[in-house]
Amino acid sequence: MKRIKVGIGGNGTVRIKLKKTRKDERVGTAEMRGSHAMHPASPATATAAGSRGLTLSHPILSQMEIRVESVFRPKEPDVEVVYALTGYGGSVDHLHKFSSNEIVAHATPEMVSYIAEKMVEHIRAERAEMPNLIVHVHSHPLGAPALSGVDKETMPRVAARIRAIVPDATVLFGVHAVGGEERRPRSTPERVSENKIRWSSITRTHEVAFFDEDAKPVPVRVDW
């Protein structure tokens, strides 16, 4: 079990402190900095998003695969990465890599620190007009596509910060688990549960699960 302490400073910084009681317990965290005030999550928004679900194309899934595998370093463990999927309604049509020091402050195999407001700035700069669907995704190297306690604590705050800038946005979340390197046959992406997709590259397994900000599963489907 983990003890989680969450504090909010006067400048809007969210600080999450963990105390582990087991050495093998997985830890994920996100640090958000900015001047935007916190706003409570909207249950209506979360419910509507969950009922609509997501549609992902094969090209988008290929980009997701490339994004998490691109952190490979010889004889070094993979680190967590953060990226976003955007689109309109329930359809994703763009991946944002966030390979920038402006966004990612620190990354290890067990955590990634990022600045939510800078994510929105990059999304706005990469698209002709601001999308109304934003899916925040982070990876779990050698882990499972499940939310940690810290993820559940952090998601409503991240969603509130994004909607403070893009009020009408539907904000969802994904956990992208990637396996260790091992030569294997490539497999086609398939939905293995209501909110989860699984496939394999020739070196790694991939499994991605999607949730709303209240940690409820969001239906997903693959568009051929």
Side-chain angles (χ1 to χ4, degrees):
M1 299 292 292
K2 291 193 288 286
R3 295 178 185 175
I4 303 175
K5 182 179 180 181
V6 180
I8 303 177
N11 65 351
T13 300
V14 176
R15 298 181 179 88
I16 301 173
K17 297 182 179 179
L18 303 180
K19 183 174 181 181
K20 294 190 291 184
T21 56
R22 291 196 318 229
K23 290 184 179 179
D24 62 344
E25 193 163 21
R26 178 180 180 81
V27 175
T29 189
E31 179 182 354
M32 302 170 292
R33 300 185 182 92
S35 59
H36 291 281
M38 293 292 187
H39 300 283
S42 167
T45 300
T47 302
S51 63
R52 283 197 299 266
L54 288 173
T55 300
L56 302 178
S57 67
H58 274 251
I60 290 292
L61 289 167
S62 295
Q63 292 179 47
M64 293 163 64
E65 174 185 306
I66 292 168
R67 178 68 188 100
V68 297
E69 293 193 6
S70 67
V71 300
F72 167 79
R73 298 167 297 169
K75 299 180 181 179
E76 294 288 339
D78 292 344
V79 297
E80 286 198 5
V81 299
V82 61
Y83 63 89
L85 306 171
T86 61
Y88 298 91
S91 182
V92 170
D93 61 12
H94 196 97
L95 183 145
H96 305 267
K97 300 186 295 296
F98 296 149
S99 301
S100 169
N101 288 321
E102 285 189 329
I103 296 173
V104 179
H106 187 61
T108 74
E110 295 183 327
M111 59 84 68
V112 60
S113 298
Y114 57 88
I115 302 172
E117 287 84 356
K118 290 294 183 180
M119 290 183 177
V120 179
E121 287 182 18
H122 276 237
I123 290 171
R124 179 180 284 125
E126 289 185 331
R127 304 214 52 153
E129 58 183 65
M130 198 66 189
N132 60 20
L133 171 65
I134 300 175
V135 186
H136 173 290
V137 186
H138 73 280
S139 66
H140 279 182
L142 303 179
L147 297 171
S148 68
V150 177
D151 293 333
K152 294 176 183 178
E153 290 281 344
T154 304
M155 292 189 314
R157 293 165 172 79
V158 174
R161 286 184 175 274
I162 293 174
R163 280 200 295 268
I165 305 170
V166 192
D168 297 329
T170 294
V171 183
L172 303 176
F173 295 84
V175 181
H176 187 157
V178 58
E181 184 178 1
E182 180 183 347
R183 194 63 179 264
R184 67 186 75 238
R186 174 175 284 280
S187 67
T188 302
E190 62 176 341
R191 193 174 77 163
V192 294
S193 68
E194 178 190 30
N195 70 323
K196 193 182 302 179
I197 295 172
R198 180 188 299 153
W199 75 95
S200 291
S201 70
I202 63 170
T203 55
R204 296 171 188 266
T205 57
H206 293 259
E207 198 165 5
V208 190
F210 295 94
F211 307 88
D212 66 19
E213 64 201 74
D214 298 317
K216 296 177 182 177
V218 171
V220 62
R221 73 183 186 92
V222 178
D223 186 356
W224 290 89

